[in-house]
Amino acid sequence: MPDAIPAATLIVFRETSFGPPEILMVERARAMAFAAGALVFPGGRIDPGDVALAAAIAPERHDAAARIAAIRETIEEAGIAIGLVPPPSPQAIATMRAALHAGQAFGDLLDAIGATLDLYALVVFARWLPAHAHARIFDTHFYLARLPADAPPATVDTTENVHLRWATASQVLTDADAGAATIIFPTRRNLERLAGFANFAAALADAGEHPVRTITPFVEAREGIDHLCIPDDLGYPITSEPFSAAVRG
């Protein structure tokens, strides 16, 4: 089995006045090696720069690098800056985003605009570490965050991702069941959990009730059919799916 790649992802909530909150999803380019063409939450691997910045600003937090990666990747992939103090202007976000794509260090860019990171703007939600023979396995930290009130419109990066959308968790699941969208097994399970929350506060309460334990899906025969399963005590309403139907990236 290949070594796991440390990664982080951010589930961004946009409250609405007419129903459940919407979640930011990005569609992966079909040329990507992992989750090609799938809808996912913004995120990606934890870079050495994230580790160095974490050691400098929050050495006491074991997951600081993951939180920094989730913030950075959301800027890169969607143009949304969460956890920056003071909140940067839309132009500053656009400039930072272009510089990140060009390979400039996140810490240097924060210094340039006089911003610091509020890592507590992210709330830990889950951690997934699949075990399969695929070429890439990600050890992914999942975080929750609310969209800032003054955030600019989210825009796709047109590199790793080709489309983005705001939709309720239930709508994404409906689209996937209709064949209009592709979602991999961890995304589906997390969307099913998210679909039960009437608002961001409910999501925070649920996260507080279920301490994070790393989830490694496993195969188990149920009524003669192999299922891909997860533990049943971590807050997920659906904990198995026929193996033949599971999309694994």
Side-chain angles (χ1 to χ4, degrees):
M1 183 185 302
D3 291 338
I5 300 168
T9 193
L10 189 54
I11 302 170
V12 184
F13 281 67
R14 183 171 73 176
E15 303 276 16
T16 71
S17 59
F18 50 82
E22 295 175 327
I23 306 296
L24 179 61
M25 307 293 298
V26 296
E27 181 181 332
R28 303 268 292 169
R30 295 193 177 276
M32 299 301 293
F34 176 79
L39 287 177
V40 298
F41 311 112
R45 67 179 63 207
I46 299 171
D47 290 341
D50 302 322
V51 176
L53 183 56
I57 67 172
E60 75 286 354
R61 290 206 61 90
H62 74 280
D63 68 338
R67 291 170 182 265
I68 291 168
I71 292 170
R72 175 184 53 76
E73 287 280 352
T74 303
I75 295 172
E76 291 185 23
E77 295 188 354
I80 298 295
I82 292 175
L84 274 64
V85 182
S89 68
Q91 181 56 51
I93 295 173
T95 299
M96 178 179 290
R97 185 184 194 185
L100 287 169
H101 280 296
Q104 294 190 37
F106 190 27
D108 292 344
L109 297 172
L110 292 170
D111 290 341
I113 64 171
T116 59
L117 292 179
D118 174 14
L119 300 183
Y120 291 95
L122 279 59
V123 176
V124 66
F125 185 63
R127 184 174 180 178
W128 284 66
L129 174 56
H132 52 61
H134 288 190
R136 294 185 180 180
I137 295 176
F138 291 90
D139 178 2
T140 306
H141 299 255
F142 288 74
Y143 296 96
L144 308 176
R146 179 187 279 118
L147 180 72
D150 55 355
T155 55
V156 71
D157 69 5
T158 69
T159 55
E160 294 183 0
N161 305 302
V162 296
H163 181 67
L164 61 77
R165 62 181 293 198
W166 290 99
T168 65
S170 294
Q171 184 60 59
V172 178
L173 291 166
T174 296
D175 290 348
D177 290 342
T182 299
I183 49 177
I184 61 176
F185 183 82
T187 306
R188 176 177 284 275
R189 301 286 83 85
N190 279 293
L191 285 168
E192 289 161 352
R193 185 176 172 188
L194 294 166
F197 305 142
N199 49 46
F200 185 64
L204 295 186
D206 181 83
E209 292 172 0
H210 297 94
V212 170
R213 192 170 76 241
T214 301
I215 297 173
T216 298
F218 56 93
V219 179
E220 182 175 278
R222 299 187 175 181
E223 298 182 355
I225 299 174
D226 281 347
H227 278 64
L228 191 59
C229 310
I230 63 173
D232 61 5
D233 60 345
L234 296 176
Y236 290 85
I238 299 176
T239 58
S240 71
E241 181 178 355
F243 189 86
S244 61
V247 180
R248 304 184 70 191

